[in-house]
Amino acid sequence: MEKKRVTVPLVCHGHSRPVVDLHYSPVTPDGFFLISASKDANPMLRNGETGDWVGTFQGHKGAVWSCCLDTNALIAATASADFSAKVWDAITGDMKHSFDHKHIVRSCAFSKDTRLLLTGGMEKLLRIYDMNRPDAPPREVDKSPGSVRTVAWLHSDQTILSSCSDIGGVRLWDLRSGQIVRTLETKSSVTSAEVSRDGRYITTCDGTSVKFWDANHFGLVKSHEMNCIVESASLDPKYGNTFVAGGEDLWVRVFDFHTGDEIACNKGHHGPVHCVRFSPGGESYASGSEDGTIRIWQTSPLTTDDNDAAANTEPSPAIEVKPTEEQVLQKNVFVEGSATEETPHVQVKKC
């Protein structure tokens, strides 16, 4: 009898409001890490494999819309509705820099060499900060046709990718000229844009469509229609044969990249899924939801009979991962604006 995959996720509590963005670091000598952005204004850092809470970056005064880690998971950046983007020391939890903006900042991204930080938001322009000269004025790239929703780097940091909140399409900017050199056309506004780990594909979500574009020649490679509005999608970085998507129907689904056929449907969230991301090795993927939780799903789940899976409409049982009372009270959590004697991240990253 045909088997259907059923996944029991790790459930990561801690956020008190919706989780709106997730970002995995590459694999470092100390493992890999997961940072989350939430409307509760408190971005969190976790062990990417176990989901264990590492620390909370405190200092924002408004919803945090975007987050990212550098290549070595030593520095974090966040973009917020408090009109600022902040850079953090991911070891101590210290805030290293705070960059003021004139409106809500919706997105941020480190260049591959971590030398540059790119931000975008409601001001309809892109800002590029030099991390070697953080006090210097940023370079501003204007003429965005709408408020910036997502940003990313391409082509060894020579190309900038951005989408807008209020109009369709993904724009590609040449960093040298500051001009838009190509637009990837979509019918609806793009809510998620991800560059694959190998740099081959750009994955976008617009309305009910998940699209895959050639990142070098910019042609449309695949386009798959979903059964609901999809907010986020991520391509398997290991083989590139599957992708995961989440949206308004509360479920996290896995699809075949080539055919668009649904492979697995993971139930458990109690609100729309705002963001999904594969871990750097493809052994798991994480989802963030309106319900304030992060769920980490393994890519090699158990199987059950189709009949049993179809009959089971209740959320799957889950393993809960959340800060203990001792962790919350102890001195070594991140605190606003200063480092304590020891930090959880130090304990994780030092033998």
Side-chain angles (χ1 to χ4, degrees), residues 261-297:
D261 293 338
E262 183 179 314
I263 298 172
C265 178
N266 298 321
K267 304 176 183 180
H269 280 300
H270 301 286
V273 178
H274 296 310
C275 46
V276 293
R277 286 293 178 262
F278 263 104
S279 64
E283 62 278 341
S284 62
Y285 47 92
S287 57
S289 169
E290 182 76 16
D291 64 18
T293 67
I294 300 165
R295 293 175 186 255
I296 299 177
W297 315 81

Side-chain angles (χ1 to χ4, degrees), residues 122-134:
M122 302 295 286
E123 291 181 78
K124 300 184 180 181
L125 59 83
L126 303 170
R127 283 189 173 89
I128 303 170
Y129 295 89
D130 188 336
M131 293 293 95
N132 294 327
R133 299 188 304 140

